[in-house]
Amino acid sequence: LVYMSHLSAADDLDFDRCEFQRGAFLSAVSGLPVAKLSLANSAGAYLGANYSFDMVRPGKATFGINPLTGRPNPMLQPARVVAPIIQVKTMKRGAPVGYSSTYRLAEEAKIATVAIGYANGYSRAGSSRAPVSVAGFAAQVVGRVSMDLLTVDVSGVPDWALVPGSPVEILGPHVRDHDLAKACGTIEHEVLISLGHGCARRYVNE
């Protein structure tokens, strides 16, 4: 038997609210049969021993999401998402890219088509905004994200890295979850959950 609650303001370092909730939790269980207690979530694990009780429940921190708002992330990002390049074309200045021609090239550019889209959990909100990485070189999504594909301006990527089948890093050491989330106007949780539902998983021990 375990009595549990969940800190609502630990992420925001609202210590007064956390202490109020801790007191309310202890008051609520004071008249119940003795059992183990659990209150601390990922952020709560950093509030000290007074919040640890018998069990700490790290959630988002286990996926590398920063549990400490406004402070350096103490966690590593374990998730990596890659998708293959299907084709690369050099397109002229003014050429439209993607559905409805919402993006037009300001100058001649190399555009790679990549096999991932919103059917795979990649947010359509990343259209013409989201960062990606190819062989460690920064690049950006241009045009609308479609169901199974997205297009990337790879003008700054050397040709040897642009062979069909070459991996594009959607999420990983060069594209952090918070960077992708910011580009999509959302939070890291939604990015990871969406991609987790839509992409095939492979677990690797390193």
Side-chain angles (χ1 to χ4, degrees), residues 2-6 25 29 36-39 55 57:
V2 181
Y3 300 134
M4 296 188 295
S5 187
H6 192 84
F25 176 57
V29 302
K36 293 182 180 298
L37 303 179
S38 180
L39 178 63
M55 182 190 303
R57 308 186 317 276

Side-chain angles (χ1 to χ4, degrees), residues 44-56:
Y46 290 86
L47 293 178
N50 286 341
Y51 287 84
S52 296
F53 295 112
D54 301 296
M55 182 190 303
V56 174

Side-chain angles (χ1 to χ4, degrees), residues 135-158:
F137 294 89
Q140 182 182 309
V141 174
V142 292
R144 285 185 178 172
V145 174
S146 60
M147 183 169 64
D148 300 303
L149 304 169
L150 53 80
T151 42
V152 176
D153 186 338
V154 291
S155 300
V157 180

